[in-house]
Each structure stands twice: as structure tokens, then as C-alpha cells.
Amino acid sequence: MRTALAAWGLERLLDDGILIVTELVANAVQHTEGRRIRVSISSPSENYVRIGVVDKSRTMPVRRVADDNDVRGRGLALVDALTSRWGTDRVPWGKASGAS
């Protein structure tokens, strides 16, 4: 994330970008039995970054509403708050979650 954003002159997005990648990867690790996860970072246009995480699970993520005492369940709410849009698509080998 750091290298890509520096190359594009978008270092100001680093903290949010790292948090988004962390949350999407954590979901993939927690909810898939596979051992492979692919992360992609692209900048299709100036000032626009797309983050993608692909795993082998076909189970779609569900945004939860966490109670104050819950230790889990806030990741997708964070992704939603930090991005202009996010979502998940099924692909032949699993699913691809992305945020921009």
C-alpha cells in the first residue's frame, strides 16, 4: 500500500488505505478455509484508488451492527465509513471484495 500510494503521489490516503486492506484481509482470513488471499491495489484515475481482496470462499460478507461490548463486527462498518463505495462479487473460484 505504501509503495503504490507513494508512486501515485497519494500518500495522504495511506492510513485509511492500510486500515481498509487490514479489515478486508482479516475478513478473508477469518471466513475462508483456503490459504491463499490476493490483494490488489490500483489507481484507475487521478485521486482514485481501488483496493481488492480475493479469497476462495463463496460465502458473502455481511455487515453487522456491533454492540458496545462486541469485540468483532466493526470491520465492514469501518470500510464503509472510509470509502466512497465497497462491495463483493462472486467469482468462479470464490469471491472478490473491493473498496474505492
Side-chain angles (χ1 to χ4, degrees):
M1 182 57 104
R2 184 179 319 278
T3 302
L5 292 179
W8 300 322
L10 298 172
E11 293 92 343
R12 68 186 182 283
L13 302 176
L14 184 60
D15 290 340
D16 289 351
I18 288 173
L19 182 55
I20 293 164
V21 168
T22 300
E23 293 301 333
L24 293 177
V25 168
N27 278 352
V29 168
Q30 182 178 0
H31 299 290
T32 186
E33 294 179 16
R35 295 183 54 111
R36 293 184 186 175
I37 296 169
R38 184 179 70 207
V39 175
S40 65
I41 303 165
S42 61
S43 181
S45 64
E46 189 175 324
N47 296 319
Y48 185 80
V49 175
R50 175 146 174 84
I51 300 167
V53 175
V54 177
D55 64 58
K56 291 192 173 199
S57 173
R58 305 260 314 144
T59 303
M60 301 297 277
V62 176
R63 183 175 171 201
R64 297 182 359 191
V65 177
D67 292 330
D68 290 342
N69 296 325
D70 288 340
V71 295
R72 293 184 177 185
R74 292 177 182 80
L76 292 178
L78 285 170
V79 170
D80 187 48
L82 295 173
T83 61
S84 60
R85 65 181 171 191
W86 69 274
T88 303
D89 295 316
R90 283 199 167 100
V91 293
W93 54 87
K95 69 178 177 298
S97 297
S100 29

